[in-house]
Amino acid sequence: MRFRHPDGSTVHLAYCTNVHPAETLDGVLAQLREHCEPVRRRLGRDRLGIGLWLAKDAAHALVTDPSALRGLRTELDRRGLEVVTLNGFPYEGFGAEEVKYRVYTPDWADPERLDHTTDLARILAGLLPDDVTDGSISTLPLAWRTAHDAERTEKSLRALAERLDALEELTGRSIRVGLEPEPGCAVETTRDALAPLTAIGHDRIGICVDTCHLATSFEDPHTAVDALAAAGVTVVKSQLSAALHAEHPHLPEVRAALAAFDEPRFLHQTRTATAAGLRGTDDLGEALAGDALPDGAPWRAHFHVPLHAAPAAPLTSTLPVLKAALARLVGGPHPLTTHLEVETYTWQALPPALRPRGRTQLADGIAAELTLARDLLTDLGLKELP
């Protein structure tokens, strides 16, 4: 979906396909037919943006076979889909029964991460619509906090910037990569991103603002975005997502409601803001076990809940943080980013009563999220384009 900002620039809105598990190119092609095109039809659109997630094997197939890449581009066009952004964070196995800490490997000190991201950039340059010259890729925020080789990581990111420069010279397409701060990682907050990104000092390497992660870390959207702008850090893209919020975690009924979201597949880092600073656990179950986390102030958990459907009381979502971030990013005289991506990948990890039953309900839910995002953008003065 495309929107015209009052300054005349085009803002792109997509939804991320990491909600549909697929590790191979055949699986990706099936996604377009079984999921993405039905979402487009529900929205009554001739064209829908998708943020592709390409696992290692799918990316390898595309980068080593030009005919396969042309075939994917043709299939996108045929189904009324377009790609300006990729999710390069998960490397493989994101559809596994247990993902947890594995999603943080390989990290940016590992040559595999550099090579994979380079492959994604080359693929994206070939998938961009004919009238679009700028693409974006979100990526791991360097590493999980327990394993971080800063020197090798900086060297890899500098090499990536050089490769992206060369790619633009070769193709005329400008691809930028954004570190995606996430609780528990070496870059947990937007503030943590300032030092490594300013050290690299290249506008092709910036930040991806995920509004669930922003909220989970209790960051104020305006303060965070202002600090990025003051440091000259590029906001490559923003992922529109909402975290799980518990206002009174000391109450038994609130803990019982939270326990329904404690599932075994993904890591749900949980945080609370105290007078002594931010406190947290690596997973929701740890927070609920005993006194691992103070419960005198609200808790927020890294669980991407559907944008249009906040959890039932006594829980809610951090949709207000998303709205505030979006207003700051695209509601001013000029957009600070032009790539927006709804990223609710946890539909099948929701408590059983809330999970979609089959493709039809999932497509309905994704379409409802995109409709909410569209309405937020038009309320900010952007005009939806055909």
Side-chain angles (χ1 to χ4, degrees):
M1 300 169 75
R2 299 188 184 192
F3 298 80
R4 181 75 68 210
H5 190 275
D7 76 345
S9 58
T10 300
V11 174
H12 296 266
L13 173 66
Y15 90 88
C16 186
T17 64
N18 63 353
V19 63
H20 312 305
E23 300 285 317
T24 66
L25 179 55
D26 285 344
V28 171
L29 294 171
Q31 288 176 355
L32 306 185
R33 177 182 69 252
E34 297 171 1
H35 298 287
C36 303
E37 185 176 12
V39 171
R40 177 183 66 77
R41 293 187 182 279
R42 279 163 173 74
L43 292 166
R45 303 281 308 179
D46 293 331
R47 174 175 54 190
L48 175 67
I50 57 172
L52 271 182
W53 171 58
L54 298 171
K56 174 192 67 171
D57 290 344
H60 181 74
L62 289 166
V63 83
T64 56
D65 184 354
S67 66
L69 184 57
R70 289 193 298 269
L72 175 57
R73 173 68 184 272
T74 298
E75 191 70 1
L76 288 165
D77 292 342
R78 187 165 78 88
R79 299 195 180 278
L81 306 169
E82 66 178 13
V83 176
V84 304
T85 189
L86 300 180
N87 187 328
F89 195 136
Y91 181 67
E92 61 182 340
F94 200 61
E97 291 185 5
E98 182 178 332
V99 179
K100 297 291 184 181
Y101 294 95
R102 291 192 297 167
V103 76
Y104 307 108
T105 57
D107 65 30
W108 269 102
D110 189 326
E112 287 187 33
R113 176 63 67 171
L114 172 61
D115 292 341
H116 176 62
T117 308
T118 303
D119 288 347
L120 293 179
R122 293 171 59 191
I123 292 165
L124 182 55
L127 294 180
L128 288 176
D130 292 340
D131 61 344
V132 175
T133 58
D134 297 319
S136 63
I137 301 171
S138 47
T139 190
L140 175 76
L142 305 186
W144 184 251
R145 67 177 184 273
T146 55
H148 177 44
D149 186 323
E151 184 176 346
R152 291 176 61 186
T153 294
E154 181 175 338
K155 183 178 179 181
S156 289
L157 290 173
R158 290 186 183 279
L160 176 65
E162 293 174 359
R163 294 180 184 185
L164 296 177
D165 283 341
L167 183 63
E168 183 174 19
E169 289 185 16
L170 181 66
T171 66
R173 304 295 178 91
S174 175
I175 309 298
R176 295 182 299 171
V177 173
L179 306 182
E180 182 186 330
E182 177 172 315
C185 292
V187 173
E188 177 160 342
T189 65
T190 57
R191 182 175 59 255
D192 295 335
L194 297 181
L197 290 177
T198 53
I200 295 165
H202 199 301
D203 65 2
R204 293 198 194 278
I205 313 295
I207 197 166
C208 168
V209 176
D210 183 300
T211 57
C212 170
H213 303 172
L214 192 79
T216 301
S217 293
F218 286 86
E219 288 197 81
D220 174 72
H222 295 281
T223 302
V225 175
D226 287 349
L228 294 172
V233 172
T234 303
V235 180
V236 170
K237 66 187 278 190
S238 180
Q239 289 173 325
L240 308 184
S241 53
L244 191 62
H245 180 94
E247 186 69 17
H248 302 293
H250 65 285
L251 296 176
E253 61 268 29
V254 174
R255 287 181 172 252
L258 284 170
F261 288 84
D262 178 26
E263 54 83 37
R265 184 171 173 188
F266 299 111
L267 206 60
H268 300 297
Q269 303 93 313
T270 304
R271 299 289 184 268
T272 186
T274 72
L278 205 63
R279 293 280 302 277
T281 59
D282 283 355
D283 214 346
L284 180 56
E286 297 174 43
L288 293 169
D291 57 357
L293 196 62
D295 60 7
W299 286 3
R300 289 177 178 173
H302 173 218
F303 195 119
H304 291 224
V305 296
L307 302 186
H308 68 293
L315 304 178
T316 187
S317 80
T318 59
L319 185 61
V321 176
L322 184 160
K323 292 179 178 179
L326 193 61
R328 182 67 183 87
L329 289 168
V330 301
H334 304 288
L336 301 183
T337 185
T338 58
H339 291 179
L340 305 173
E341 178 184 63
V342 171
E343 197 216 7
T344 304
Y345 58 83
T346 46
W347 281 95
Q348 299 302 338
L350 290 167
L354 303 179
R355 292 175 195 168
R357 293 185 293 276
R359 295 177 193 163
T360 298
Q361 287 192 0
L362 178 59
D364 289 343
I366 294 170
E369 289 193 293
L370 286 166
T371 298
L372 182 147
R374 178 199 65 196
D375 292 346
L376 292 178
L377 291 172
T378 55
D379 287 347
L380 290 170
L382 283 73
K383 180 182 178 182
E384 187 177 6
L385 298 175

